Amino acid sequence: MSAAIEKNAQALKALFGDAALANRLGSTRIAVATSSEQMPQSGVLLADVLADVLGRLWPNIDFSGSCAERQLMVATDAARSGGAPLEGVACRWAPPYDCVVYVGTSMYPDAGYAIQVGADGWEVQLGPDAICGTSDNPVGPAFAAAMAAAQIFRHVFAAELTGVDAPPLQECKLDIRELFQAPQLEITPLYLRETHMFGVGAVSHGLIWLLEHWPSTVSGELSLVDQDKYGDSNGQRYAFMQAMNIGIAKVDAVTARLTAAHPT
């Protein structure tokens, strides 16, 4: 058992009181389906984040559709960052599945528990009418992917979550700006003036990914401060972390990514 898998077992024990529940991660079969036609930009971004998030926790995932090969590569990189097994991640469609996520495309009949998710710019969609738009704003797609991944976890561990004030989401459509009461937000150039980030963990990695994919200019200086290093036991916890970065200082890994995306 890899250190990352052991960490997952410890996390589930802390959450539910039973480390053996980690076996459910390995026995759950998940599929992600994208359209057979070329996906619009919001759909591509959503598919990327979804593959990364799922690949860091679930070892059995099938990808199908136009984004399948791209998603396979992303999920494989995610799994390798924590030393997780890769045999169960593939490009194929072989139902039945325990959970299926449809990214901006119609759900197939009799495929098991299904989630249809979409995004466009600041907008997030969940339900049978969810579609993906052409916006290159990464915020909505990232939020939508997180929602879909959370619904999978909610479904698989439904019995353990009985009584928790977090009912499963069947259908929703929302604007992220309204959710956070920030209607003035828009895509503009970002200038990071003497900005310091203390703690370069899971939340910070999500922010770094948004900055990397921000569709306008990002300039200035962002200082990242963290005493920890990536290792075999924590690499799978960070968005878009790759195995090549394991063992080096966090500030070096994340700064290199951000500089490559937006050189100043």
Side-chain angles (χ1 to χ4, degrees), residues 42-208:
S42 286
V44 173
L45 292 169
L46 198 168
D48 280 356
V49 178
L50 186 61
D52 182 83
V53 172
L54 295 180
R56 295 182 183 280
L57 188 63
W58 308 95
N60 296 310
I61 312 172
D62 288 354
F63 298 102
S64 66
S66 60
C67 288
E69 293 186 4
R70 179 186 178 114
Q71 287 187 297
L72 176 63
M73 180 178 64
V74 172
T76 298
D77 286 342
R80 283 178 176 155
S81 72
L86 300 171
E87 293 79 6
V89 183
C91 289
R92 62 190 171 196
W93 178 257
Y97 294 103
D98 297 291
C99 303
V100 185
V101 181
Y102 298 90
V103 180
T105 189
S106 299
M107 295 184 284
Y108 308 154
D110 303 324
Y113 172 76
I115 305 165
Q116 186 168 328
V117 62
D120 190 20
W122 301 101
E123 188 175 274
V124 173
Q125 303 173 28
L126 196 68
D129 297 323
I131 59 174
C132 294
T134 59
S135 173
D136 54 1
N137 179 350
V139 177
F143 198 95
M147 286 179 60
Q151 291 311 297
I152 289 177
F153 189 90
R154 179 71 175 77
H155 175 74
V156 173
F157 293 98
E160 289 73 23
L161 289 168
T162 300
V164 175
D165 188 20
L169 291 174
Q170 301 296 329
E171 186 173 348
C172 74
K173 186 174 182 179
L174 57 90
D175 188 303
I176 300 300
R177 295 169 297 185
E178 295 177 0
L179 181 65
F180 291 97
Q181 299 180 351
Q184 74 280 6
L185 290 179
E186 58 184 63
I187 298 296
T188 60
L190 298 178
Y191 176 59
L192 306 177
R193 180 181 180 182
E194 298 181 3
T195 303
H196 297 76
M197 185 181 297
F198 291 88
V200 192
V203 174
S204 298
H205 267 252
L207 175 59
I208 294 296

Side-chain angles (χ1 to χ4, degrees), residues 229-253:
K229 290 185 177 181
Y230 297 120
D232 294 336
S233 66
N234 66 4
Q236 92 286 7
R237 287 161 33 199
Y238 304 113
F240 291 91
M241 169 55 60
Q242 297 187 10
M244 70 179 74
N245 299 126
I246 298 299
I248 67 176
K250 283 188 176 183
V251 63
D252 293 338

